[in-house]
mmCIF file of all heavy atoms in Angstrom:
data_model
loop_
_atom_site.group_PDB
_atom_site.id
_atom_site.type_symbol
_atom_site.label_atom_id
_atom_site.label_comp_id
_atom_site.label_asym_id
_atom_site.label_seq_id
_atom_site.Cartn_x
_atom_site.Cartn_y
_atom_site.Cartn_z
ATOM 1 N N ASP A 34 151.475 226.909 144.054
ATOM 2 C CA ASP A 34 152.447 226.546 145.098
ATOM 3 C C ASP A 34 153.381 225.442 144.576
ATOM 4 O O ASP A 34 152.986 224.634 143.736
ATOM 5 C CB ASP A 34 151.702 226.050 146.347
ATOM 6 C CG ASP A 34 152.564 226.137 147.607
ATOM 7 O OD1 ASP A 34 153.789 226.367 147.494
ATOM 8 O OD2 ASP A 34 151.996 225.989 148.712
ATOM 9 N N VAL A 35 154.612 225.461 145.060
ATOM 10 C CA VAL A 35 155.554 224.379 144.757
ATOM 11 C C VAL A 35 155.820 223.665 146.079
ATOM 12 O O VAL A 35 156.260 224.292 147.050
ATOM 13 C CB VAL A 35 156.869 224.925 144.149
ATOM 14 C CG1 VAL A 35 157.872 223.799 143.938
ATOM 15 C CG2 VAL A 35 156.574 225.641 142.827
ATOM 16 N N ILE A 36 155.522 222.376 146.108
ATOM 17 C CA ILE A 36 155.569 221.640 147.384
ATOM 18 C C ILE A 36 156.607 220.532 147.313
ATOM 19 O O ILE A 36 156.584 219.691 146.411
ATOM 20 C CB ILE A 36 154.168 221.066 147.703
ATOM 21 C CG1 ILE A 36 153.208 222.238 147.953
ATOM 22 C CG2 ILE A 36 154.204 220.166 148.935
ATOM 23 C CD1 ILE A 36 151.780 221.928 147.657
ATOM 24 N N GLU A 37 157.522 220.577 148.270
ATOM 25 C CA GLU A 37 158.538 219.517 148.351
ATOM 26 C C GLU A 37 157.931 218.315 149.074
ATOM 27 O O GLU A 37 157.200 218.474 150.045
ATOM 28 C CB GLU A 37 159.761 220.020 149.121
ATOM 29 C CG GLU A 37 160.504 221.117 148.372
ATOM 30 C CD GLU A 37 161.670 221.681 149.168
ATOM 31 O OE1 GLU A 37 161.650 221.616 150.414
ATOM 32 O OE2 GLU A 37 162.597 222.220 148.530
ATOM 33 N N VAL A 38 158.253 217.111 148.580
ATOM 34 C CA VAL A 38 157.734 215.875 149.177
ATOM 35 C C VAL A 38 158.917 215.092 149.749
ATOM 36 O O VAL A 38 159.901 214.850 149.048
ATOM 37 C CB VAL A 38 157.000 215.011 148.118
ATOM 38 C CG1 VAL A 38 156.435 213.747 148.761
ATOM 39 C CG2 VAL A 38 155.891 215.816 147.440
ATOM 40 N N SER A 69 156.254 225.978 149.521
ATOM 41 C CA SER A 69 157.173 227.093 149.232
ATOM 42 C C SER A 69 156.502 228.431 149.534
ATOM 43 O O SER A 69 157.149 229.379 149.978
ATOM 44 C CB SER A 69 157.586 227.087 147.766
ATOM 45 O OG SER A 69 158.164 225.865 147.436
ATOM 46 N N LEU A 127 164.358 214.309 150.424
ATOM 47 C CA LEU A 127 163.484 214.860 149.387
ATOM 48 C C LEU A 127 163.354 213.842 148.250
ATOM 49 O O LEU A 127 164.354 213.367 147.723
ATOM 50 C CB LEU A 127 164.093 216.160 148.850
ATOM 51 C CG LEU A 127 163.308 216.878 147.742
ATOM 52 C CD1 LEU A 127 162.026 217.486 148.289
ATOM 53 C CD2 LEU A 127 164.162 217.971 147.099
ATOM 54 N N VAL A 128 162.099 213.489 147.878
ATOM 55 C CA VAL A 128 161.932 212.507 146.796
ATOM 56 C C VAL A 128 161.333 213.114 145.524
ATOM 57 O O VAL A 128 161.573 212.624 144.426
ATOM 58 C CB VAL A 128 161.081 211.285 147.234
ATOM 59 C CG1 VAL A 128 161.876 210.381 148.163
ATOM 60 C CG2 VAL A 128 159.756 211.690 147.861
ATOM 61 N N THR A 129 160.548 214.193 145.644
ATOM 62 C CA THR A 129 159.991 214.836 144.458
ATOM 63 C C THR A 129 159.440 216.212 144.825
ATOM 64 O O THR A 129 159.392 216.577 146.018
ATOM 65 C CB THR A 129 158.880 213.973 143.806
ATOM 66 O OG1 THR A 129 158.516 214.546 142.543
ATOM 67 C CG2 THR A 129 157.642 213.875 144.670
ATOM 68 N N THR A 130 159.058 216.974 143.819
ATOM 69 C CA THR A 130 158.426 218.280 144.016
ATOM 70 C C THR A 130 157.131 218.284 143.213
ATOM 71 O O THR A 130 157.109 217.801 142.083
ATOM 72 C CB THR A 130 159.360 219.398 143.504
ATOM 73 O OG1 THR A 130 160.634 219.233 144.119
ATOM 74 C CG2 THR A 130 158.824 220.769 143.872
ATOM 75 N N ILE A 131 156.052 218.782 143.817
ATOM 76 C CA ILE A 131 154.750 218.778 143.135
ATOM 77 C C ILE A 131 154.123 220.171 143.184
ATOM 78 O O ILE A 131 154.558 221.028 143.959
ATOM 79 C CB ILE A 131 153.777 217.754 143.780
ATOM 80 C CG1 ILE A 131 153.542 218.065 145.275
ATOM 81 C CG2 ILE A 131 154.292 216.323 143.607
ATOM 82 C CD1 ILE A 131 152.462 217.219 145.942
ATOM 83 N N SER A 132 153.091 220.368 142.365
ATOM 84 C CA SER A 132 152.369 221.648 142.375
ATOM 85 C C SER A 132 151.253 221.604 143.413
ATOM 86 O O SER A 132 150.877 220.513 143.878
ATOM 87 C CB SER A 132 151.755 221.901 141.002
ATOM 88 O OG SER A 132 150.730 220.938 140.761
ATOM 89 N N MET A 135 148.446 219.375 142.191
ATOM 90 C CA MET A 135 148.682 217.938 142.405
ATOM 91 C C MET A 135 148.443 217.559 143.864
ATOM 92 O O MET A 135 147.865 216.514 144.159
ATOM 93 C CB MET A 135 150.105 217.566 141.978
ATOM 94 C CG MET A 135 150.275 217.530 140.475
ATOM 95 S SD MET A 135 151.977 217.864 139.984
ATOM 96 C CE MET A 135 152.727 216.290 140.193
ATOM 97 N N GLY A 190 151.665 213.014 137.698
ATOM 98 C CA GLY A 190 152.745 213.671 136.952
ATOM 99 C C GLY A 190 154.018 213.942 137.742
ATOM 100 O O GLY A 190 154.974 214.496 137.202
ATOM 101 N N ALA A 191 154.053 213.575 139.027
ATOM 102 C CA ALA A 191 155.273 213.796 139.818
ATOM 103 C C ALA A 191 156.411 212.927 139.275
ATOM 104 O O ALA A 191 156.200 211.780 138.907
ATOM 105 C CB ALA A 191 155.024 213.451 141.286
ATOM 106 N N VAL A 192 157.611 213.496 139.216
ATOM 107 C CA VAL A 192 158.787 212.740 138.766
ATOM 108 C C VAL A 192 159.678 212.518 139.991
ATOM 109 O O VAL A 192 160.133 213.480 140.620
ATOM 110 C CB VAL A 192 159.553 213.507 137.668
ATOM 111 C CG1 VAL A 192 160.796 212.723 137.242
ATOM 112 C CG2 VAL A 192 158.635 213.760 136.466
ATOM 113 N N PHE A 193 159.901 211.268 140.340
ATOM 114 C CA PHE A 193 160.655 210.948 141.559
ATOM 115 C C PHE A 193 162.146 210.840 141.286
ATOM 116 O O PHE A 193 162.566 210.420 140.196
ATOM 117 C CB PHE A 193 160.140 209.626 142.161
ATOM 118 C CG PHE A 193 158.828 209.786 142.887
ATOM 119 C CD1 PHE A 193 157.623 209.699 142.200
ATOM 120 C CD2 PHE A 193 158.798 210.047 144.250
ATOM 121 C CE1 PHE A 193 156.412 209.859 142.868
ATOM 122 C CE2 PHE A 193 157.597 210.216 144.915
ATOM 123 C CZ PHE A 193 156.400 210.120 144.230
ATOM 124 N N LYS A 194 162.931 211.211 142.293
ATOM 125 C CA LYS A 194 164.392 211.092 142.204
ATOM 126 C C LYS A 194 164.761 209.609 142.188
ATOM 127 O O LYS A 194 164.006 208.770 142.693
ATOM 128 C CB LYS A 194 165.045 211.742 143.434
ATOM 129 C CG LYS A 194 164.913 213.253 143.463
ATOM 130 C CD LYS A 194 165.530 213.791 144.754
ATOM 131 C CE LYS A 194 165.434 215.309 144.844
ATOM 132 N NZ LYS A 194 166.224 216.009 143.824
#
Side-chain angles (χ1 to χ4, degrees):
D34 201 348
V35 176
I36 294 153
E37 293 177 334
V38 181
S69 303
L127 180 70
V128 287
T129 189
T130 307
I131 59 172
S132 67
M135 286 153 82
V192 178
F193 283 87
K194 291 177 180 294

